[in-house]
Amino acid sequence: MNNKKNSKGNFFTRKQFELLIVCVTTGFIIGYSYNQAKDNREAGAIDSELFEQEDSYREELITQQERNKELTEELNTLQEQIRKYEKSFASNEKDYKKLVEQAEDLRLLLGELKSEGKGIRITLQDGDYDPKSLNPNDYIVHESHVFKLMNELKISGAQAIAINGQRVMANSYIRCNGPVITIDGTQHPAPFVIEAVGDSETLMASLNLSGGVVDQLLNDNIVVSLEENQKLTMPKVKVES
């Protein structure tokens, strides 16, 4: 009886052992499958994240490339504008130089700049009075004579003019008071010495034209003397504050 019980007990023990082996094996397979699936899911998530990051970098790269293209086009446009400005400046350089020279001439006429250079000196004196004449004013220098002479000098290119050492501006007023003339409030008696800075040959030629200013002054009984001067100096006008 005891042998049967032991044999039966041993049988159940083997069954249980086999069942245990089966359970362990099944558990291992299930665990392995679970871990494998988990690894696959994690790997898939990582791949998805890397793909999204790569896609983001790709879009950023495309954006930067487009921006670089825009900047390149803008740079080319600006360079083209600079080339146009340079060509325009080169073509108009002579005009700019001429404008600067004209501005200098205007400043000289306005008396804003000191004037120095070659020129001419004209002296106007009252004529010898003829007792037979009814009007003694026919023998003295008037402002009309001075104006006539000054206008001719300006037309002939005089850069600066002075009367009896007083610089004459473009807006100066000259008025005759008997034997004296008043220039900007300052009286000057005869003789009147008019100096003009400029091309002396041109100035002399314009005054000595037949029927010109000198002839007209002589016809008005004015004594006129002309003199070329190698160097004339005229200070700039002092503006009262």
Side-chain angles (χ1 to χ4, degrees):
M1 291 294 290
N2 293 330
N3 292 333
K4 288 182 180 180
K5 289 181 180 180
N6 291 336
S7 176
K8 189 175 180 180
N10 292 338
F11 174 76
F12 284 115
T13 299
R14 285 197 301 271
K15 285 286 187 180
Q16 291 175 355
F17 178 74
E18 291 175 356
L19 181 60
L20 178 61
I21 293 299
V22 172
C23 290
V24 170
T25 303
T26 303
F28 175 77
I29 293 173
I30 293 173
Y32 178 79
S33 299
Y34 176 78
N35 289 332
Q36 190 68 24
K38 182 179 179 182
D39 292 340
N40 290 336
R41 286 196 300 272
E42 290 178 353
I46 293 173
D47 291 340
S48 178
E49 183 178 353
L50 291 174
F51 178 78
E52 291 178 359
Q53 189 174 11
E54 183 180 352
D55 188 60
S56 175
Y57 289 156
R58 188 181 298 109
E59 291 179 357
E60 184 176 353
L61 178 60
I62 293 173
T63 302
Q64 291 297 329
Q65 288 176 340
E66 293 177 351
R67 179 57 180 163
N68 290 338
K69 183 179 179 181
E70 293 176 358
L71 291 174
T72 301
E73 293 176 353
E74 185 177 353
L75 177 61
N76 292 335
T77 302
L78 293 174
Q79 289 177 340
E80 182 64 25
Q81 291 180 358
I82 291 173
R83 282 192 290 269
K84 289 181 179 179
Y85 291 149
E86 289 175 345
K87 290 180 181 178
S88 176
F89 179 80
S91 61
N92 295 326
E93 187 175 0
K94 293 182 179 179
D95 295 335
Y96 294 149
K97 185 178 180 180
K98 185 177 180 180
L99 289 174
V100 171
E101 292 176 351
Q102 290 177 352
E104 287 291 300
D105 291 341
L106 289 174
R107 290 191 180 97
L108 286 170
L109 290 175
L110 289 172
E112 295 179 357
L113 298 177
K114 177 181 177 181
S115 181
E116 219 174 54
K118 295 181 179 180
I120 63 174
R121 181 181 287 116
I122 310 106
T123 303
L124 303 181
Q125 300 186 62
D126 297 337
D128 293 332
Y129 175 65
D130 186 354
K132 298 180 181 180
S133 176
L134 298 177
N135 189 357
N137 288 326
D138 293 339
Y139 294 88
I140 63 176
V141 180
H142 296 285
E143 72 270 22
S144 59
H145 300 130
V146 177
F147 273 126
K148 188 179 295 184
L149 183 59
M150 287 179 56
N151 289 335
E152 185 64 28
L153 291 172
K154 290 178 181 178
I155 293 172
S156 302
Q159 296 177 337
I161 299 174
I163 300 176
N164 286 7
Q166 180 177 348
R167 186 80 175 268
V168 179
M169 298 182 290
N171 60 345
S172 292
Y173 68 89
I174 300 175
R175 185 163 52 89
C176 180
N177 294 319
V180 300
I181 63 173
T182 302
I183 304 173
D184 296 335
T186 302
Q187 290 187 343
H188 297 276
F192 305 110
V193 179
I194 302 172
E195 296 176 322
V197 174
D199 188 300
S200 57
E201 292 184 3
T202 302
L203 295 175
M204 292 287 283
S206 65
L207 295 179
N208 286 318
L209 287 173
S210 178
V213 175
V214 171
D215 285 348
Q216 295 174 27
L217 292 173
L218 293 176
N219 290 334
D220 288 343
N221 302 312
I222 304 300
V223 178
V224 182
S225 62
L226 301 175
E227 174 189 358
E228 289 190 35
N229 199 296
Q230 293 298 317
K231 185 175 182 181
L232 293 174
T233 302
M234 300 181 189
K236 68 179 182 179
V237 175
K238 294 182 179 179
V239 180
E240 296 181 359
S241 57

